[in-house]
Amino acid sequence: MDFLAGLNTSQKQAVQQIVGPVMIIAGAGSGKTRVITYRVAHLIQKGIDPFNILVLTFTNKAAKEMRNRITTVVGGEAKNIWMGTFHSVFAKILRVEANKIGYPNNFTIYDTDDSKSLIKTILKEMSLDDKLYHHNFVYGRISNAKNNLISAQEYQQNEAIQAEDFSNGRGFLGKIYETYVNRCFKAGAMDFDDLLFKTNVLLKEHPDVLYKYQNKFKYLMVDEYQDTNFSQYLIVKKLAAINENLCVVGDDAQSIYAFRGASIQNILNFQKDYPDVKVFKLEQNYRSTQNIVNVANSIISNNKNQLEKNVFSANETGEKIKITRSFSDNEEGKSVAESIIQERGNNNLEWKSFAILYRTNAQSRSMEEGLRKLNVPYKIYGGLSFYQRKEIKDLIAYFRLTFNPSDEEAFKRVINYPARGIGKTTLDRVILAADQNEKTLFEIICDAPKYLENRAALAVADFAASIQSFMVVAKNSTAYDAALHIAQQSGLLKDLYADKSVEGLNRYENIQELLNGIKEFSEREDLEERGLDIFMQDIALLTNDDNDKDPNKDTVSLMTIHSSKGLEFPQVYIVGLEENLFPSQMALNSRADLEEERRLFYVAVTRAEKKLHLSYATSRFRFGTLINCEPSRFLDEIEPKYLELEFTQKAPRESTGFGDERNKWQSKTAEKPIQGDFFSKPKPATKAVLTTSLLAKAHVPTAGFAPSDTSKLQTGQEVEHERFGFGKVINLEGSKGDLKATVFFKEIGQKQLLLKYAKLRIVEN
């Protein structure tokens, strides 16, 4: 198969360069996955053993798609490639090498809920204020430390870190971190961050292991390199140190995960790390119309810190990009829903052709309200994962305990579920006995009469016997037979079946669906090992990006922009383009933060294939209060010739400008549930379509424009603003130095302006 024939010149060159360090800068929609796929296939066709190829991705979905494509080209040899997420690949290595760093090979992988549960327990044991030491904050602090390879000991010895913690009144964070690490180790558990942290420890402290994998992985490829953090960067650098056959693929313009610890510097500095690197730029966008690509380029050109490239499209020019202005967030939701219905009818599209993207989850409320009122089917991405549902986590806890009886979080979750008469007092005694005797909780209940009173001892001893019987069954049965046995004999299935409510029925059906999945896993012929423990390893490594996103389900997709990465839709609506919302107010403190927000906007824009819609509201409810908003600065950065303005226009209100309330709103609270009148019926609106841009609306200043002295400005005077045009002062308020003017501008309505910054020209009559 001559797969190279279907590649453009840049793609072909990137595929054929297989020796030495390579950087592939892949613009949005430029065929990145195809290039990675064909490059791996090309390596195999050149005689490279697939066992010597390592491909690292950020989602299991991406790895699965690539493997399937490679299989189509080279056949069964694709099974032998080491390919997967950073976490799954290095978890696999740690399973083999864990004993070298003191862990059992069957270590449990704690998910975020497990980690936070353990942190809550530690906070309670240390009698710390759970508001000051909120478990989410503590978890984030520990995660950030691990991603920067700062151990608990180093954390407590670092003067700068300690000074920061003590100045914030959180001087015990280091001790919490240390206790958390020790408890995980005692439980034979690693959290997600440990899978990379411990891999770094392994490679650093055991040169023989490092040498082994350096020689095994002679060819490395890393997808989405711009999203790597320091820990991932160091692992890759170490593994590639001998052969330097390292190929990284990514786009600095799509680096949007700094909040997770990703460092854009990894891709920006790659040429410094490897001076003899061969650089290939994939600049042709096959996804989007020319207008959409041009808009994306005009946005990202405002970033100073970036790799130079010129993304272009040979597709049709496409329609201009619409900017819709609505009076309120409710009206914005209604407007988007109406537009989707109209576009669907006019272009004979399915619902799944549309996506609505927003900066924060809280914004989904007004969008959902608009869609529901017009009976538009929709699905929110990033909802509760199947594997995060309580009943699923309960059964999985039994599985975890079966293979790792030291797993403290699994133990506490199910020791009295279903209820078996083991109350909090008994559990506290078990925990105390374990601490005093330096044993695990399971070891205590296996010898219960020695530590507990008769009645409590009998109850926990029965539980211990059940888990021991599960161990025997799991060792000698298929994954499905073992799972079914545990579900039945634990009493969990019976308990759920007895609940005849709608919720109970749903929970029971979810357990059946889990068992169906295990049955399917048990019958897979492409796996050498199909035990329940192997299935557990797979699901422990699922990420939010791997949740069920059925492409065949005919619904409009709603999601945050972060969740949209890697997806594409014929028509995309980006909503809430308002200052302090997008860009977020939290991103206005530094150029680096603002540039990441701009990259996030770039990612959103480049999800669109055929048509892009942008919208903002001039007022929005925040925690029950209506605040005034102004358009995002990002809209001003788009070249006017690519835009068309559409707005819903209502009768003027007292204030439709963006006033002082913007300073009261902190975007860090945007994830809180919004309160207010969600279901108030929007007032009728009339639409007017202008074939003009937002900037054209912004007015061309009078020749020789110069701001006037406004210290003696009076109500009723005519003024001119560089952007907003001509208007009349209708109100003045505030003290000298902080005087605010409410101006009604002819083109855009009312604005409230702080005079010392407004730069108004008084129009002389």
Side-chain angles (χ1 to χ4, degrees):
M1 176 182 179
D2 184 15
F3 53 83
L4 296 178
L7 301 176
N8 65 36
T9 302
S10 298
Q11 291 173 332
K12 188 181 297 184
Q13 290 172 345
V15 165
Q16 292 177 317
Q17 182 63 46
I18 61 175
V19 178
V22 173
M23 179 164 68
I24 302 174
I25 303 171
S30 62
K32 171 177 69 78
T33 302
R34 172 185 285 192
V35 170
I36 296 174
T37 299
Y38 286 177
R39 191 172 188 275
V40 174
H42 188 63
L43 283 168
I44 295 173
Q45 287 195 343
K46 286 293 182 180
I48 306 301
D49 190 336
F51 285 100
N52 296 139
I53 301 173
L54 171 62
V55 182
L56 296 169
T57 67
F58 274 83
T59 67
N60 291 303
K61 178 185 173 185
K64 183 178 180 181
E65 180 183 351
M66 289 179 195
R67 192 184 296 277
N68 289 340
R69 290 196 191 186
I70 296 167
T71 301
T72 302
V73 179
V74 300
E77 281 294 303
K79 294 179 182 178
N80 301 324
I81 302 164
W82 278 63
M83 177 182 288
T85 64
F86 276 87
H87 292 90
S88 65
V89 167
F90 296 117
K92 186 176 178 181
I93 290 174
L94 287 169
R95 293 283 178 201
V96 177
E97 313 290 351
N99 63 306
K100 289 185 172 62
I101 54 174
Y103 278 82
N105 297 109
N106 64 337
F107 61 84
T108 296
I109 299 173
Y110 277 179
D111 65 13
T112 303
D113 287 346
D114 296 321
S115 296
K116 290 180 179 179
S117 174
L118 177 54
I119 288 169
K120 287 179 185 176
T121 299
I122 293 169
L123 294 175
K124 185 177 180 182
E125 291 172 355
M126 294 177 69
S127 301
L128 293 172
D129 183 352
D130 59 4
K131 293 183 176 62
L132 183 61
Y133 292 92
H134 193 277
H135 60 273
N136 286 334
F137 175 83
V138 175
Y139 173 77
R141 190 74 168 169
I142 293 173
S143 176
N144 189 54
K146 288 183 178 180
N147 285 330
N148 285 285
L149 301 182
I150 300 171
S151 68
Q153 183 179 4
E154 291 168 327
Y155 187 99
Q156 295 180 83
Q157 294 173 348
N158 187 298
E159 292 182 4
I161 292 175
Q162 291 302 298
E164 181 183 350
D165 286 351
F166 276 95
S167 68
N168 292 326
R170 298 189 179 101
F172 286 101
L173 277 172
K175 187 61 180 176
I176 298 169
Y177 184 8
E178 180 184 9
T179 306
Y180 173 79
V181 169
N182 291 338
R183 292 285 277 275
C184 286
F185 183 77
K186 182 181 176 182
M190 295 188 196
D191 63 22
F192 252 49
D193 297 313
D194 280 329
L195 297 177
L196 303 180
F197 184 90
K198 299 298 182 184
T199 297
N200 271 293
V201 171
L202 176 69
L203 299 180
K204 180 181 179 181
E205 296 182 354
H206 297 273
D208 57 321
V209 176
L210 174 59
Y211 184 75
K212 170 183 173 182
Y213 289 102
Q214 284 174 333
N215 283 278
K216 178 174 180 59
F217 301 131
K218 292 183 171 65
Y219 295 85
L220 279 75
M221 288 192 71
V222 184
D223 187 20
E224 305 286 10
Y225 190 67
Q226 77 279 350
D227 294 334
T228 53
N229 60 30
F230 177 62
S231 183
Q232 292 162 328
Y233 163 82
L234 211 56
I235 292 171
V236 170
K237 192 169 177 63
K238 286 177 180 177
L239 290 177
I242 291 181
N243 298 295
E244 288 202 347
N245 293 324
L246 170 62
C247 174
V248 301
V249 186
D251 181 7
D252 60 295
Q254 298 186 66
S255 178
I256 59 173
Y257 293 117
F259 69 96
R260 292 183 187 171
S263 173
I264 192 174
Q265 297 304 320
N266 291 348
I267 193 167
L268 295 179
N269 294 335
F270 191 77
Q271 289 166 280
K272 294 179 182 178
D273 288 341
Y274 301 92
D276 57 340
V277 64
K278 298 287 193 301
V279 180
F280 301 96
K281 297 180 181 180
L282 309 184
E283 297 175 305
Q284 182 171 355
N285 181 308
Y286 292 92
R287 174 189 301 156
S288 307
T289 64
Q290 293 179 38
N291 269 334
I292 292 171
V293 171
N294 290 336
V295 165
N297 287 343
S298 66
I299 293 162
I300 205 64
S301 65
N302 289 276
N303 273 9
K304 294 183 178 180
N305 199 15
Q306 61 177 306
L307 297 170
E308 184 182 345
K309 58 183 171 296
N310 179 34
V311 179
F312 66 95
S313 173
N315 295 337
E316 61 182 338
T317 303
E319 296 186 36
K320 287 188 175 183
I321 282 63
K322 283 188 177 180
I323 297 181
T324 303
R325 183 184 73 199
S326 299
F327 167 68
S328 68
D329 49 351
N330 279 339
E331 187 184 272
E332 183 185 35
K334 179 175 181 288
S335 173
V336 168
E338 290 174 344
S339 175
I340 288 174
I341 290 173
Q342 185 176 11
E343 291 288 340
R344 179 175 179 263
N346 290 347
N347 300 288
N348 195 28
L349 297 171
E350 297 178 290
W351 295 119
K352 65 183 179 181
S353 299
F354 301 90
I356 303 173
L357 310 182
Y358 34 78
R359 179 63 181 85
T360 68
N361 280 307
Q363 291 170 257
S364 72
R365 193 276 310 163
S366 56
M367 293 299 116
E368 289 186 73
E369 178 67 9
L371 295 170
R372 277 201 303 266
K373 284 184 176 180
L374 296 178
N375 295 315
V376 176
Y378 67 90
K379 173 181 172 59
I380 296 182
Y381 281 24
L384 189 64
S385 162
F386 177 79
Y387 290 101
Q388 293 300 314
R389 299 177 190 277
K390 179 187 180 300
E391 61 275 12
I392 301 299
K393 287 181 71 71
D394 289 338
L395 183 52
I396 287 175
Y398 273 105
F399 297 165
R400 281 168 43 179
L401 208 53
T402 298
F403 293 103
N404 178 14
S406 298
D407 188 335
E408 184 177 318
E409 289 306 306
F411 180 98
K412 289 190 292 187
R413 187 176 188 97
V414 298
I415 189 170
N416 197 41
Y417 179 72
R420 50 177 63 88
I422 303 174
K424 183 179 182 299
T425 302
T426 300
L427 180 58
D428 287 344
R429 287 174 181 165
V430 171
I431 293 172
L432 181 62
D435 289 342
Q436 290 176 340
N437 295 275
E438 295 186 351
K439 293 180 179 291
T440 67
L441 303 183
F442 192 74
E443 287 173 329
I444 296 297
I445 67 170
C446 285
D447 198 8
K450 184 176 177 180
Y451 304 103
L452 302 172
E453 297 173 357
N454 288 342
R455 187 188 219 171
L458 284 173
V460 298
D462 284 346
F463 177 70
S466 294
I467 299 301
Q468 288 169 331
S469 72
F470 297 164
M471 293 176 186
V472 175
V473 171
K475 191 174 182 180
N476 299 292
S477 306
T478 66
Y480 175 73
D481 290 340
L484 182 60
H485 176 85
I486 294 170
Q488 292 172 335
Q489 297 306 312
S490 65
L492 190 147
L493 263 184
K494 182 180 179 182
D495 186 73
L496 292 176
Y497 185 75
D499 184 352
K500 299 301 182 183
S501 67
V502 174
E503 294 80 6
L505 180 61
N506 286 338
R507 287 192 287 268
Y508 182 79
E509 289 176 347
N510 286 338
I511 291 293
Q512 293 296 339
E513 184 59 31
L514 174 63
L515 294 173
N516 291 341
I518 298 174
K519 178 72 170 177
E520 184 180 345
F521 173 85
S522 298
E523 296 173 353
R524 283 177 57 181
E525 296 181 358
D526 61 322
L527 298 176
E528 293 181 12
E529 297 182 81
R530 297 191 289 270
L532 185 57
D533 56 334
I534 305 301
F535 176 82
M536 291 296 296
Q537 292 175 30
D538 283 353
I539 63 169
L541 292 163
L542 288 176
T543 67
N544 288 337
D545 297 316
D546 302 311
N547 293 347
D548 178 27
K549 297 178 180 179
D550 183 2
N552 297 314
K553 195 168 185 178
D554 193 21
T555 56
V556 174
S557 298
L558 275 67
M559 68 191 80
T560 64
I561 301 169
H562 282 100
S563 298
S564 74
K565 183 96 182 309
L567 302 176
E568 55 190 55
F569 301 89
Q571 296 208 25
V572 168
Y573 291 76
I574 306 174
V575 300
L577 278 160
E578 296 140 32
E579 206 59 14
N580 290 340
L581 180 54
F582 195 16
S584 161
Q585 187 173 12
M586 296 295 287
L588 303 181
N589 297 322
S590 71
R591 178 175 297 279
D593 290 342
L594 181 59
E595 290 201 348
E596 172 135 340
E597 287 287 291
R598 191 176 284 113
R599 292 194 296 270
L600 190 59
F601 187 31
Y602 176 86
V603 166
V605 167
T606 54
R607 299 310 94 198
E609 298 171 348
K610 298 291 185 184
K611 202 164 183 179
L612 175 66
H613 310 256
L614 309 176
S615 75
Y616 68 95
T618 57
S619 64
R620 183 174 296 273
F621 270 105
R622 289 289 171 194
F623 316 117
T625 302
L626 188 69
I627 65 168
N628 298 317
C629 312
E630 67 178 12
S632 168
R633 68 187 68 194
F634 295 154
L635 295 175
D636 286 341
E637 295 174 355
I638 301 173
E639 290 187 41
K641 61 184 177 182
Y642 305 126
L643 300 176
E644 177 180 302
L645 180 68
E646 178 180 276
F647 62 93
T648 55
Q649 191 172 34
K650 291 192 169 202
R653 285 170 53 98
E654 291 253 337
S655 173
T656 58
F658 188 80
D660 286 345
E661 278 129 322
R662 66 180 179 181
N663 297 320
K664 299 175 184 176
W665 179 64
Q666 297 294 324
S667 66
K668 64 184 177 183
T669 62
E671 299 297 334
K672 293 181 181 178
I674 300 177
Q675 297 181 5
D677 184 10
F678 294 166
F679 305 104
S680 59
K681 187 176 181 181
K683 297 176 182 178
T686 59
K687 286 191 175 180
V689 179
L690 305 180
T691 54
T692 179
S693 73
L694 190 68
L695 290 184
K697 168 178 75 76
H699 171 67
V700 177
T702 301
F705 177 93
S708 303
D709 176 7
T710 55
S711 61
K712 296 182 179 180
L713 187 68
Q714 296 179 5
T715 302
Q717 281 188 289
E718 296 283 337
V719 293
E720 181 185 10
H721 187 278
E722 281 185 295
R723 255 176 62 196
F724 305 144
F726 293 98
K728 178 180 284 189
V729 179
I730 60 175
N731 188 42
L732 290 166
E733 60 182 88
S735 57
K736 187 177 180 180
D738 289 312
L739 196 63
K740 293 187 284 286
T742 302
V743 182
F744 185 82
F745 291 101
K746 296 176 182 178
E747 294 294 332
I748 66 168
Q750 288 180 197
K751 284 278 182 183
Q752 191 178 59
L753 306 170
L754 195 60
L755 286 182
K756 63 183 177 182
Y757 298 125
K759 297 181 180 179
L760 296 175
R761 182 180 76 85
I762 298 174
V763 180
E764 302 295 341
N765 293 327

